Amino acid sequence: VAVLLCNCSLGAVIWTQLAAEMPVSRAGAVVGVINNTIVYQFGGSGGSSGTTQTSIVKYDLSQSNGTWTTLSTTTPANKLICGHQCAATMKNRYIYMFDFYGNYNAYFDGFTETLNPITFSKPSGISAYGCVVGDGDELIYQFGGSGFVYNITSNLWLSLASPPTGQSRQACI
């Protein structure tokens, strides 16, 4: 499966196809980027049978003829698969993943390439959603259904003012 990257800066949009194809096609996966050079993909479903993917793959954008590498670390089966999740990169090291449909939440350490589960009380009112990192690399804002903010230090979700109408299936930058 060919992968395209979009570079958007100052109104210019440039699409680039990666040199290597992904080992397995995936839908509903979680993607995060560390240090603007390493792309990680987690979970999803796909392949010829549409089965749950537990592998984590990475691609180094700094390599002109890069390849996808499958890590030894995996995600739990039947998690991070349905499109009701989002990811946010923090401190150029951690990728936080929230999957409210499968109820699996974790952060990935890009330096050690380990996956660490997070346990917290799940806020209600979340649908398919997007996440974005706030100032200070401590807050992750989530939008979809209602708005929430997650504080990585306190491990708590706080409710934001509700949008004028329910929102779902959007992306955040």
Side-chain angles (χ1 to χ4, degrees):
V1 173
V3 176
L4 298 174
L5 294 180
C6 180
N7 181 355
C8 304
S9 61
L10 302 175
V13 177
I14 300 169
W15 287 95
T16 306
Q17 183 170 335
L18 297 182
E21 292 194 1
M22 292 192 65
V24 176
S25 63
R26 299 178 190 221
V30 176
V31 176
V33 179
I34 293 180
N35 217 19
N36 292 325
T37 57
I38 307 293
V39 177
Y40 290 94
Q41 187 177 49
F42 308 84
S45 60
S48 58
S49 63
T51 58
T52 299
Q53 299 297 309
T54 59
S55 62
I56 300 171
V57 294
K58 74 175 182 178
Y59 188 94
D60 187 345
L61 296 171
S62 67
Q63 304 297 315
S64 61
N65 291 317
T67 59
W68 287 94
T69 304
T70 302
L71 305 183
S72 60
T73 303
T74 60
T75 62
N78 299 315
K79 305 297 180 186
L80 301 171
I81 59 167
C82 76
H84 287 263
Q85 71 272 355
C86 67
T89 302
M90 307 289 287
K91 302 180 182 179
N92 253 340
R93 177 175 181 171
Y94 305 104
I95 300 171
Y96 279 76
M97 295 167 270
F98 304 104
D99 176 4
F100 285 98
Y101 185 81
N103 203 25
Y104 178 74
N105 308 288
Y107 71 90
F108 177 79
D109 185 328
F111 291 1
T112 62
E113 294 188 334
T114 56
L115 195 60
N116 306 282
I118 303 170
T119 303
F120 52 73
S121 295
K122 172 181 157 179
S124 62
I126 294 179
S127 181
Y129 55 87
C131 291
V132 65
V133 176
D135 290 336
D137 271 350
E138 184 173 301
L139 303 176
I140 299 173
Y141 291 87
Q142 173 279 317
F143 300 95
S146 298
F148 294 92
V149 61
Y150 175 69
N151 184 310
I152 65 171
T153 302
S154 67
N155 193 35
L156 293 174
W157 286 94
L158 301 171
S159 182
L160 300 173
S162 294
T165 58
Q167 306 293 312
S168 68
R169 303 190 191 283
Q170 72 286 318
C172 296
I173 298 174

